[in-house]
Amino acid sequence: FAQITAEESEDEPPSREEGTDARLSERDAAGGKNEGAVTEEAEGDGQREGEEAEQPDQTPVLSNKPRKKKKKRKTKKTSAGETLEDNDLEDIESLLEKIEDTNGLSQQTQSGIIADSRPLLYVEHRNLNPENELKRYFGARAVLGDQRPRQRQRQYVRSTWLTAPKNTWPRYSKTGIAMQLVDTRRGVQYFTFEHHREYQQVQFKFLDAVESMDPNNIVLLLQMNPYHVDSLLQLSDVCRMQEDQEMARDLIERALYSLECAFHPVFSLTSGTCRLDYRRPENRAFFLALFKHLMFLEKRGCPRTALEFCKLILSLDPENDPLCVLLLIDFLSLRAREYTFLTRMFQEWESHRNLSQLPNFAFSVPLAYFFLSQQEERSELELSQARERAARLIQLALIMFPSVLMPLLDHCSVQPDARVASHSFFGLNAQISQPPALNQLTSLYVGRTHSLWKDPAVMAWLETNVHEVLRMVDARDPLVEESEHKRKMRYQSAPRNIYRHVILSEMKEATAALPLEVTSQPVMGFDPLPPLDSIVSYTRPERTNHPSNESTLSLFFRSLLPNFNLQ
């Protein structure tokens, strides 16, 4: 008897949380009786549980409910091989939801304690799974549906964090990719992927297939080597252009699975202290697969999961940011309503990264503060601070980047009032006079985030601050002239990683603003704009015979590839 109570006391906390909802409803029905007894006895030690067992009549709510749960727990323990029943899964889901909600609250209310104790780019495994986010919106039953019985049959699949392997995929076998630890400096570990000899041979065949301009050659290569990463990336682009989004997404997930199976034992996705050098061609596929996966997640309506992948990409090389995800992370934070993350990032990185000089941060951070100022659960002091910061930062953004306002209003189908429309500061001259590099950044921002500004409350707040800025311009505030000078000096030419980001993002507004030296060269989906200082570990042998002329069919397939240009 003593052993049973000891065992039960170990099981108590989870079952107590699982049964909370049911007990609350029963307690309400009973008119709130025994409230003190319920809390006391639920939190009591093993001895009090013994008393409870002796006096079942006094507290019927307590004695019946947890016992039912415990019976289920027992069956779970004995049949370890079997999957959980539906209602147990529902309980676990609701429990996770509760834990997550409480975490979220404490993160916001006591931001100094919890949120700041973790590194900024800390990645949570749970948030890398889009199903968890979809379950939050639609419930576990709607998302999982008929998946559970099928999963029971595949015991040989290894579990992975980035993506879940599917029944339809070919069986995984060693591909010839490995990961090595190159160096450890100041608590940061530097890794690299390596291609073994057999994988190099497949890579050479892949390059031949790309040069043939026939996607069927890549399909044939994948039939022989179903987990060759660059082939999966390139074919995914072809599928996307042929409007087969499902297949395109599936190929990217397979590429991620292939790379994750090759991880080094100490490589950590979540710590934020593992680095990969983009200059090594073997590492690029991982960056690109993560980025393309993130874009699919965002389109699928999983911004929180996409944000987690964005943090992961940034943590792999935060200094160089080869895919320039800093131009995207603010949008995902706003979409996922992670306003505190965005404002924290701005506070911590502004001093050494000058984030306010990027139009996307200049406009998104005040928007985040504005949304925070609308949250009624915060204290009055926090709300007023958020309002002040939002107003100050949006005014600075409008003075620094006046060319954003008119295209933004145009995308939101909002007509500016007469004073704004007729004023030269926000007029056509603001767009024409800015350097081309700045034009790309503003076009990218407006094209990507205009939907977040359509809220009438946001527009009213923006209008107030636009008038305040015009007052400062008319009063010849020195800040206006200083900002104009900075614009002309700082945005002469964009670095290569920004061009790479624009190409991968496929925002037509920004792609149209790319310079000729970028658009005139072929851009490969598996390696867009490779770095000029690449670290090459192996080279392709010289080919003797080159195809002399191309057939009409070959030209047609060539036009389907992302790197097509008439030259």
Side-chain angles (χ1 to χ4, degrees), residues 1-9 45-56 67 74:
F1 185 78
Q3 283 176 338
I4 291 168
T5 38
E7 187 185 322
E8 284 189 356
S9 67
D45 51 12
Q47 183 189 347
R48 199 163 283 159
E49 282 176 15
E51 289 169 22
E52 176 199 319
E54 285 167 18
Q55 303 165 327
R67 253 181 221 162
K74 288 266 163 62

Side-chain angles (χ1 to χ4, degrees), residues 167 201 372 445 465 523:
N167 292 337
Q201 299 304 317
L372 286 173
Y445 180 70
N465 287 290
V523 176

Side-chain angles (χ1 to χ4, degrees), residues 296-314:
F296 281 122
L297 286 169
E298 194 272 320
K299 284 179 187 146
R300 198 176 155 196
C302 299
R304 182 68 191 83
T305 314
L307 174 62
E308 212 68 13
F309 273 93
C310 198
K311 283 156 67 176
L312 173 57
I313 297 171
L314 192 54

Side-chain angles (χ1 to χ4, degrees), residues 267-290:
F267 181 81
S268 164
L269 290 168
T270 56
S271 67
T273 58
C274 295
R275 304 280 181 267
L276 285 172
D277 192 342
Y278 194 80
R279 292 175 303 166
R280 294 180 181 270
E282 297 92 332
N283 293 339
R284 287 175 208 158
F286 189 49
F287 283 89
L288 293 164
L290 287 171

Side-chain angles (χ1 to χ4, degrees), residues 149-198:
R150 282 186 308 192
Q151 282 176 354
R152 208 177 292 166
Q153 296 157 13
R154 279 176 71 103
Q155 268 96 29
Y156 66 87
V157 172
R158 59 188 291 174
S159 67
T160 46
W161 292 113
L162 295 176
T163 180
K166 296 177 182 169
N167 292 337
T168 52
W169 291 358
R171 190 159 183 159
Y172 179 81
S173 58
K174 285 271 185 283
T175 56
I177 302 182
M179 186 189 258
Q180 296 299 325
L181 177 60
V182 180
D183 194 9
T184 305
R185 293 196 300 270
R186 295 177 189 167
V188 176
Q189 296 166 311
Y190 295 83
F191 293 87
T192 183
F193 283 100
E194 287 184 344
H195 293 171
H196 295 158
R197 189 173 178 80
E198 63 272 24

Side-chain angles (χ1 to χ4, degrees), residues 102-258:
T102 50
N103 280 351
L105 279 173
S106 51
Q107 254 179 335
Q108 286 173 353
T109 51
Q110 309 169 338
S111 55
I113 301 168
I114 291 184
D116 294 346
S117 63
R118 288 177 172 176
L120 182 72
L121 297 179
Y122 175 84
V123 174
E124 279 190 83
H125 280 143
R126 192 169 40 125
N127 289 332
L128 291 171
N129 185 353
E131 280 190 359
N132 289 340
E133 185 170 3
L134 292 169
K135 281 180 211 166
R136 226 169 296 154
Y137 302 144
F138 306 113
R141 203 176 290 268
V143 175
L144 291 172
D146 60 340
Q147 287 179 26
R148 285 174 204 147
R150 282 186 308 192
Q151 282 176 354
R152 208 177 292 166
Q153 296 157 13
R154 279 176 71 103
Q155 268 96 29
Y156 66 87
V157 172
R158 59 188 291 174
S159 67
T160 46
W161 292 113
L162 295 176
T163 180
K166 296 177 182 169
N167 292 337
T168 52
W169 291 358
R171 190 159 183 159
Y172 179 81
S173 58
K174 285 271 185 283
T175 56
I177 302 182
M179 186 189 258
Q180 296 299 325
L181 177 60
V182 180
D183 194 9
T184 305
R185 293 196 300 270
R186 295 177 189 167
V188 176
Q189 296 166 311
Y190 295 83
F191 293 87
T192 183
F193 283 100
E194 287 184 344
H195 293 171
H196 295 158
R197 189 173 178 80
E198 63 272 24
Y199 194 89
Q200 291 179 20
Q201 299 304 317
V202 180
Q203 188 72 9
F204 299 149
K205 285 178 190 168
F206 163 71
L207 294 171
D208 291 345
V210 170
E211 283 179 7
S212 74
M213 299 297 169
D214 185 351
N216 289 322
N217 290 338
I218 300 175
V219 174
L220 288 170
L221 186 70
L222 272 176
Q223 284 172 356
M224 303 295 291
N225 308 277
Y227 287 94
H228 180 254
V229 179
D230 284 353
S231 298
L232 292 164
L233 294 179
Q234 188 74 29
L235 197 60
S236 172
D237 278 359
V238 176
C239 291
R240 207 161 32 81
M241 289 179 174
Q242 295 173 342
E243 302 296 319
D244 188 353
Q245 300 293 334
E246 194 62 39
M247 188 65 185
R249 194 174 80 203
D250 191 71
L251 291 166
I252 293 296
E253 288 182 12
R254 211 201 298 178
L256 277 178
Y257 178 69
S258 175

